[in-house]
Amino acid sequence: FNFYSGLIRQLLWAGSFVLLIHVMFQNTAALAGWSQSQVLIILALSRLIEGLSEAMFSRNITNFPATVQDGKFDFFLARPVPAQFHVAFHRFNLLDLGNVIIGLMLLVYAIGISPSPIAPMNWLIFTALAVLAIITYYSLLILIASLVFWLERLDAFTAVSQLITEPLTVPFDIFPSGLKTALTYLLPLAFIVFVPAQALTGRLQLWQIPTAILVTIIFLLLSNLAWRAGLKRYSSASS
């Protein structure tokens, strides 16, 4: 019942967003150069990628600061598996697969109303970029969550993680150039949804592919460096 009630809630959220987009495009032909079907593809991918991430790791990582604060992190350290891996993936959140279902439904709808089909090569590039996007999102959450080792309390992490997902539902071309650059390279949100969406809509430029790989590697390294440095500062709850 919890799963289906959550699915209904997500359907209502997605339906209201689709209605908003429909109303917007009754008054304009494009949003920063993006057609209605292309904007819907961005919305679909935001649901799909965010849903997969929440089901696999993001909710676990969001709960991590509280785990450190109440002393339960000791139990993760005592088990014979890498602590970061165990913290991030110890629980699969089945309820969040509702977002994945919504994302797939929206993607089918968006492609159905698109005036041109998506080339097979674009699908292959999108798949690779989507995998990189999930790794980048994981790295970003680990990097932020690791601050708890220095701050001791990180109660705002849930709000911060929710704030991060807000720009993922719109084309990044609507932002001013300075903000767009910051959300692309300093806080690599563009590579989570926007760049994969460019691959599906035929807007991707070749240089963006190695850039996406490089950004993923950099943030994966940064997150692991922050995690390891944080572990050296951590004091056991029993000490």
Side-chain angles (χ1 to χ4, degrees), residues 159-173:
V160 171
S161 63
Q162 291 174 348
L163 186 64
I164 286 174
T165 62
E166 290 301 318
L168 301 183
T169 57
V170 297
F172 272 55
D173 291 331

Side-chain angles (χ1 to χ4, degrees), residues 115-177:
S116 57
I118 299 174
M121 180 57 68
N122 288 2
W123 279 109
L124 290 174
I125 296 173
F126 158 73
T127 302
L129 289 175
V131 172
L132 293 175
I134 291 174
I135 297 173
T136 300
Y137 187 35
Y138 167 85
S139 302
L140 184 60
L141 291 179
I142 288 290
L143 184 60
I144 299 173
S146 296
L147 291 175
V148 73
F149 293 120
W150 284 268
L151 302 178
E152 295 185 1
R153 298 188 64 86
L154 199 60
D155 297 334
F157 184 42
T158 301
V160 171
S161 63
Q162 291 174 348
L163 186 64
I164 286 174
T165 62
E166 290 301 318
L168 301 183
T169 57
V170 297
F172 272 55
D173 291 331
I174 69 173
F175 297 126
S177 58

Side-chain angles (χ1 to χ4, degrees), residues 2 32 38 72 75 86 107 133 138 153 155 173 178 181 188 192 197 229:
N2 195 23
Q38 292 172 338
K72 294 181 180 178
F75 295 102
H86 193 24
L107 187 59
Y138 167 85
R153 298 188 64 86
D155 297 334
D173 291 331
T181 300
I192 298 175

Side-chain angles (χ1 to χ4, degrees), residues 17-221:
F17 216 115
V18 170
L19 179 61
L20 174 63
I21 292 173
H22 178 68
V23 171
M24 289 172 58
F25 278 92
Q26 283 186 327
N27 299 282
T28 184
L31 181 63
W34 290 71
S35 67
Q36 181 176 0
S37 63
Q38 292 172 338
V39 172
L40 286 172
I41 286 176
I42 292 178
L43 178 61
L45 294 184
S46 73
R47 296 297 86 204
L48 183 60
I49 293 176
E50 188 179 338
L52 285 171
S53 300
E54 287 180 345
M56 291 188 297
F57 58 79
S58 67
R59 290 197 184 275
N60 296 328
I61 298 174
T62 302
N63 293 330
F64 172 64
T67 302
V68 172
Q69 291 160 16
D70 61 21
K72 294 181 180 178
F73 184 49
D74 288 1
F75 295 102
F76 290 91
L77 293 174
R79 289 167 181 158
V81 291
Q84 184 189 130
F85 178 85
H86 193 24
V87 163
F89 296 99
H90 69 277
R91 178 177 297 167
F92 185 84
N93 297 285
L94 183 64
L95 299 180
D96 290 309
L97 289 181
N99 257 337
V100 178
I101 296 171
I102 300 298
L104 290 173
M105 292 171 60
L106 277 174
L107 187 59
V108 171
Y109 172 70
I111 293 173
I113 66 172
S114 177
S116 57
I118 299 174
M121 180 57 68
N122 288 2
W123 279 109
L124 290 174
I125 296 173
F126 158 73
T127 302
L129 289 175
V131 172
L132 293 175
I134 291 174
I135 297 173
T136 300
Y137 187 35
Y138 167 85
S139 302
L140 184 60
L141 291 179
I142 288 290
L143 184 60
I144 299 173
S146 296
L147 291 175
V148 73
F149 293 120
W150 284 268
L151 302 178
E152 295 185 1
R153 298 188 64 86
L154 199 60
D155 297 334
F157 184 42
T158 301
V160 171
S161 63
Q162 291 174 348
L163 186 64
I164 286 174
T165 62
E166 290 301 318
L168 301 183
T169 57
V170 297
F172 272 55
D173 291 331
I174 69 173
F175 297 126
S177 58
L179 180 58
K180 180 181 176 181
T181 300
L183 293 177
T184 301
Y185 300 107
L186 297 180
L187 193 67
L189 301 186
F191 290 97
I192 298 175
V193 169
F194 182 62
V195 172
Q198 286 181 301
L200 277 188
T201 56
R203 292 170 169 268
L204 190 73
Q205 300 180 22
L206 286 179
W207 64 266
Q208 290 178 291
I209 298 176
T211 303
I213 297 172
L214 182 61
V215 166
T216 301
I217 292 172
I218 289 173
F219 275 85
L220 189 59
L221 290 174

